[in-house]
Amino acid sequence: MKFFTIRYNSRKNEIVILDQKRLPEKETYLRLRTVQQVYNAIRDMNLRGAPLIGVAAGYGVVLAARLLKDPAKIIEAADYIGSARPTAVNLGWAITRMKKKLDKQPGLYNRLLKEARKIEQEDKTACLRIGKYGARLIKNNAKIMVHCNAGALATSGIGTALGVIYSAHRQGKKFVVYSCETRPLLQGARLTSWELTKNGIETCTICDNMAATFMPETDLVLVGADRIATNGDTANKIGTRGLAIIARYYKVPFYVAAPVSTFDFHIKTGKEIPIETRDENEIRKFNQKCIVAKRAKIYNPAFDVTPARLINGIITEKGIIKPPYKRHIAGINKIR
Ligand code: MRU
């Protein structure tokens, strides 16, 4: 990758992140030095994408340990960071993992740093494996539709759905990517088109409402995930369910790519997934200009849930999971 999304600088006690709110105009990096800054960066989406939020949460707890010392206060800070966004399970998963390392023994900071680095390394490795397993789904000269950004920008590695695309590209396959713009925050238009073109992938950005028009000529739909229930129901960026419905109508295979850390083994179905509702101004305003009548109401759910029956397979670092999901997801939880 020609950029990095996150780095922890232990000499300066700061987390350095690529500021995704400024892309594609500016490639600038932010330095996070307090727990509040980490919380704000996650909530305001200076960094985003389920796996990357998990990695940032890990380093957020390291930062808290450096600043606060007292384990009770570190736990409070960890829970605060964990409350920044509700849907991506990787956030709570990383916080729980970090909290398990918290005790009163000497060397706490180093133990936490080691765990956070481990979370980052595992994410990188998972992305590479997802890429390897998923690349076989991409045929030469394929047209692939993607939604939101499930790329290197959403992880600390090469990405999940886009990791599959990078792997196929490295194998010499030729293809075109249709990237849905992803209203309201335009992760597809701003982020996916930026990272794919930067890496030499032919990319065509389309408006979300063009998906049905381009679906008949599409060979594969690839999306990421923020939380997957044990029956395979998958929460991802709002609009994903619509794509899955259109894909099924036109008999286009629809695949989810996600690491095992994105599975929520505590919930049975997608009905139990908390869906984040974001500020109405994300829709009301465009480039700081009001574009909606003042008296009109706004709904802004940030995610939707795609029923498992519309998903042809889930690409993970442990292989591609196929239906029946209940049985196969339970199986993946046992593989270590
Ligand atoms: O609101 P965002 O930009 O954090 O939403 C991101 C997505 O929906 C991604 O598809 C998902 O997190 C998977 S990232 C590998």
Side-chain angles (χ1 to χ4, degrees):
M1 287 300 138
K2 298 184 168 85
F3 56 87
F4 68 89
T5 49
I6 193 160
R7 258 178 211 167
Y8 185 74
N9 185 331
S10 54
R11 215 167 23 85
K12 294 190 178 165
N13 299 317
E14 61 185 24
I15 306 169
V16 185
I17 59 157
L18 175 57
D19 185 358
Q20 302 196 22
K21 282 176 89 171
R22 311 218 38 201
L23 291 172
E25 297 89 0
K26 280 222 157 66
E27 193 176 328
T28 48
Y29 290 81
L30 284 177
R31 291 165 197 286
L32 312 177
R33 295 190 177 113
T34 65
V35 169
Q36 190 62 51
Q37 285 173 347
V38 176
Y39 174 92
N40 290 352
I42 296 173
R43 185 200 56 197
D44 299 342
M45 295 171 63
N46 300 92
L47 67 92
R48 28 67 54 206
L52 184 61
I53 292 172
V55 175
Y59 287 128
V61 177
V62 174
L63 209 56
R66 177 55 95 208
L67 298 168
L68 302 168
K69 314 265 189 308
D70 172 11
K73 289 208 170 115
I74 302 170
I75 289 181
E76 214 175 282
D79 289 339
Y80 181 57
I81 293 170
S83 69
R85 292 187 76 189
T87 303
V89 74
N90 304 60
L91 176 54
W93 167 86
I95 293 290
T96 305
R97 228 176 115 162
M98 295 300 290
K99 275 165 60 176
K100 281 191 186 146
K101 296 282 162 193
L102 267 164
D103 55 32
K104 292 195 170 128
Q105 303 303 314
L108 177 62
Y109 171 81
N110 284 334
R111 269 200 309 288
L112 290 174
L113 180 57
K114 197 172 159 202
E115 189 67 4
R117 292 217 192 279
K118 210 167 152 205
I119 291 174
E120 180 183 347
Q121 193 47 53
E122 285 172 14
D123 176 46
K124 286 186 163 68
T125 308
C127 288
L128 287 172
R129 294 212 175 121
I130 288 170
K132 191 185 107 201
Y133 285 120
R136 66 182 73 143
L137 298 171
I138 297 182
K139 296 193 186 79
N140 209 24
N141 299 316
K143 290 177 177 164
I144 306 154
M145 194 175 289
V146 298
H147 191 59
C148 193
N149 175 269
L153 285 169
T155 67
S156 61
I158 63 165
T160 57
L162 300 193
V164 170
I165 284 169
Y166 294 129
S167 296
H169 181 67
R170 225 171 293 136
Q171 291 170 0
K173 290 179 186 168
K174 302 251 175 303
F175 50 83
V176 182
V177 178
Y178 291 144
S179 165
C180 297
E181 62 173 352
T182 321
R183 279 279 290 153
L185 295 182
L186 303 172
Q187 290 94 327
R190 294 187 304 105
L191 307 178
T192 295
S193 70
W194 181 79
E195 67 160 273
L196 285 179
T197 53
K198 211 171 166 67
N199 284 291
I201 312 269
E202 193 179 335
T203 309
C204 180
T205 299
I206 59 169
C207 298
D208 296 325
N209 50 9
M210 295 174 188
T213 297
F214 287 94
M215 194 62 81
E217 62 190 70
T218 297
D219 300 288
L220 175 68
V221 180
L222 267 178
V223 297
D226 282 80
R227 193 185 291 241
I228 304 173
T230 48
N231 72 341
D233 289 352
T234 296
N236 191 49
K237 181 53 55 192
I238 191 83
T240 303
R241 180 164 59 198
L243 280 189
I245 293 168
I246 300 168
R248 181 54 56 95
Y249 181 85
Y250 287 108
K251 299 187 174 56
V252 176
F254 180 96
Y255 279 80
V256 171
V260 174
S261 56
T262 299
F263 288 76
D264 186 341
F265 294 103
H266 299 104
I267 60 169
K268 288 198 176 106
T269 75
K271 286 203 181 91
E272 294 169 70
I273 299 178
I275 299 294
E276 177 181 12
T277 302
R278 292 189 62 86
D279 194 304
E280 63 166 54
N281 281 325
E282 291 179 352
I283 291 174
R284 196 173 287 285
K285 294 183 179 167
F286 193 83
N287 273 345
Q288 276 119 49
K289 260 191 160 176
C290 191
I291 55 158
V292 180
K294 280 202 178 72
R295 272 189 273 172
K297 277 193 198 158
I298 306 254
Y299 297 126
N300 189 12
F303 299 94
D304 59 25
V305 176
T306 300
R309 65 181 179 280
L310 296 180
I311 300 169
N312 293 80
I314 306 174
I315 311 159
T316 76
E317 69 271 36
K318 294 181 181 177
I320 301 181
I321 308 177
K322 292 283 210 170
Y325 288 118
K326 218 171 139 191
R327 177 144 52 89
H328 292 159
I329 289 174
I332 213 114
N333 194 19
K334 286 182 197 126
I335 310 170
R336 286 274 162 239

